[in-house]
Amino acid sequence: MLKKCLFPAAGYGTRFLPATKSMPKEMMPVVSKPLIEYGVEEALQAGMQDICMVTGRGKRALEDHFDANYELEHQIAGTDKESLLTNIRQLINECSFSYTRQREMKGLGHAILSGESLIGDQPFGVVLADDLCINPDGPGVLAQMAKLYPHRVRWIEKQYPLP
Ligand code: UTP
């Protein structure tokens, strides 16, 4: 039912300065994987393959991360290191990625509104990639929320019937 997931990722990340002076905070690694990759995994696990990102100035690395890097891939082809790209390749194959820019940093609500051109008039999930939520024993937070979503919709429709 929920196919799209919006990632507001245009914030300055001032709390992580100086690390975020020239690097998007969503690209900060936890072990060897950037935060944004954990977020996209969470969305995919919840059945949301349509990944929509709201980016801004200095966030090109996000788009590059979810794209092929032929030179690098050629360089490590056939070596042990190739397996290190298995996960990101799988995400690139299974998801579709689209991007829009938040032109002025007017906060999270404005970033979500800036994603309207990508989302359209559909229900969607939201992941803030700088908040890492991991559930090693079961489905991720977004998958749990997506499971509840149809029940919530039915409840709201019952409580507030359209005239
Ligand atoms: P934060 O509250 O963490 O804001 O935003 P921030 O500006 O990135 O962080 P600090 O306070 O300067 O360290 C929560 C989420 O909303 C996005 C951020 O990228 C983050 O994923 N955001 C925030 C936007 O996309 N645009 C904004 O104007 C503000």
Side-chain angles (χ1 to χ4, degrees):
M1 197 172 182
L2 289 160
K3 289 287 160 225
K4 297 199 173 202
C5 189
L6 186 69
F7 287 76
Y12 289 121
T14 52
R15 276 168 291 173
F16 295 112
L17 282 169
T20 48
K21 189 164 173 263
S22 61
M23 179 184 80
K25 68 175 166 184
E26 297 80 8
M27 288 303 294
M28 288 182 42
V30 174
V31 192
S32 58
K33 209 156 62 174
L35 286 168
I36 192 78
E37 194 173 324
Y38 288 96
V40 172
E41 279 174 4
E42 188 182 339
L44 187 59
Q45 191 198 44
M48 300 173 202
Q49 291 168 306
D50 207 341
I51 306 297
C52 308
M53 291 196 193
V54 178
T55 66
R57 274 181 296 282
K59 301 279 184 168
R60 270 286 304 276
L62 291 171
E63 293 185 41
D64 289 342
H65 189 68
F66 294 103
D67 196 2
N69 181 338
Y70 295 112
E71 218 173 296
L72 170 73
E73 287 174 40
H74 176 73
Q75 185 76 28
I76 63 171
T79 73
D80 293 348
K81 290 182 182 155
E82 207 172 0
S83 63
L84 299 175
L85 293 180
T86 306
N87 191 62
I88 182 68
R89 277 181 177 158
Q90 200 177 333
L91 292 181
I92 292 171
N93 286 337
E94 290 184 27
C95 298
S96 73
F97 296 86
S98 48
Y99 302 88
T100 190
R101 276 189 169 226
Q102 185 187 16
R103 285 193 213 112
E104 290 172 86
M105 305 311 160
K106 289 184 179 173
L108 175 58
H110 181 261
I112 291 178
L113 190 61
S114 304
E116 193 180 12
S117 58
L118 302 176
I119 299 291
D121 186 18
Q122 303 188 29
F124 60 102
V126 175
V127 169
L128 306 183
D130 56 342
D131 279 336
L132 180 58
C133 302
I134 290 180
N135 179 13
D137 303 320
V141 177
L142 199 58
Q144 294 176 43
M145 289 169 75
K147 198 173 162 201
L148 287 176
Y149 175 73
H151 305 286
R152 291 302 289 171
V153 169
R154 276 198 291 278
W155 183 85
I156 290 168
E157 282 171 353
K158 222 165 130 187
Q159 296 293 317
Y160 307 99
L162 289 172

